[in-house]
Amino acid sequence: IKSVFSYEFISTDIAQHQVNFYASSSLLWDTEQGEAIAYGNLLHDILSHIFTADDIEQTLQRYLSQGIINKVDSNALQNKIEKIIEHPNLKIYYQHNLTVYNEREIVNTQGVSIIPDRVVILPNKKAVVIDYKTGMQENIHKTQVENYARYLSEMGYEVASKLLVYIGDVVEV
């Protein structure tokens, strides 16, 4: 008895998926810049799971148990995240009574999408945009936050604040 199976193969052009590959990214491996990028990506990823101060320990424990970070990293990251959450200009945006969207895609009327780090909807229905940066301050960061605010305005939100948070040895807002 001979069996014949027919499988349909569907393929689409990679350009349709808006995916970019960077062959030269391997040039950053094992470099200070590569480590800084990896640290920034890790911190962003962890912060995407933090809605209130109550989420810090559980989130770090998950990363620890998955082997993504070690105990020393966990302690250092906890200190860094607590500095962010307890910063006088940010503390009010990590309370329990707020609607928070971390790393959520927003698509504008032209079909262009953005993903702000954190959007907080206050009880008065005004929005606050928070973007975390681990690198040097650049003007493009301000433009990026302004774009996030514009998208939210187009959605009908009044944007109360636009905050850039630079995370280094000291947290600057």
Side-chain angles (χ1 to χ4, degrees), residues 64-108:
L64 192 59
S65 66
Q66 292 174 353
I68 298 169
I69 60 174
N70 60 36
K71 188 64 177 163
V72 173
D73 293 336
S74 178
N75 292 336
L77 286 163
Q78 182 166 349
N79 289 335
K80 186 77 67 180
I81 293 166
E82 286 173 352
K83 284 181 182 178
I84 296 166
I85 290 176
E86 293 172 6
H87 191 282
N89 295 342
L90 298 173
K91 191 173 189 170
I92 61 172
Y93 304 121
Y94 288 90
Q95 296 176 5
H96 287 276
N97 63 333
L98 303 172
T99 302
V100 176
Y101 300 103
N102 288 339
E103 296 288 338
R104 292 281 187 90
E105 183 176 32
I106 299 172
V107 181
N108 75 0

Side-chain angles (χ1 to χ4, degrees), residues 13 74 79 139 141:
D13 184 355
S74 178
N79 289 335
N139 285 334
H141 299 158

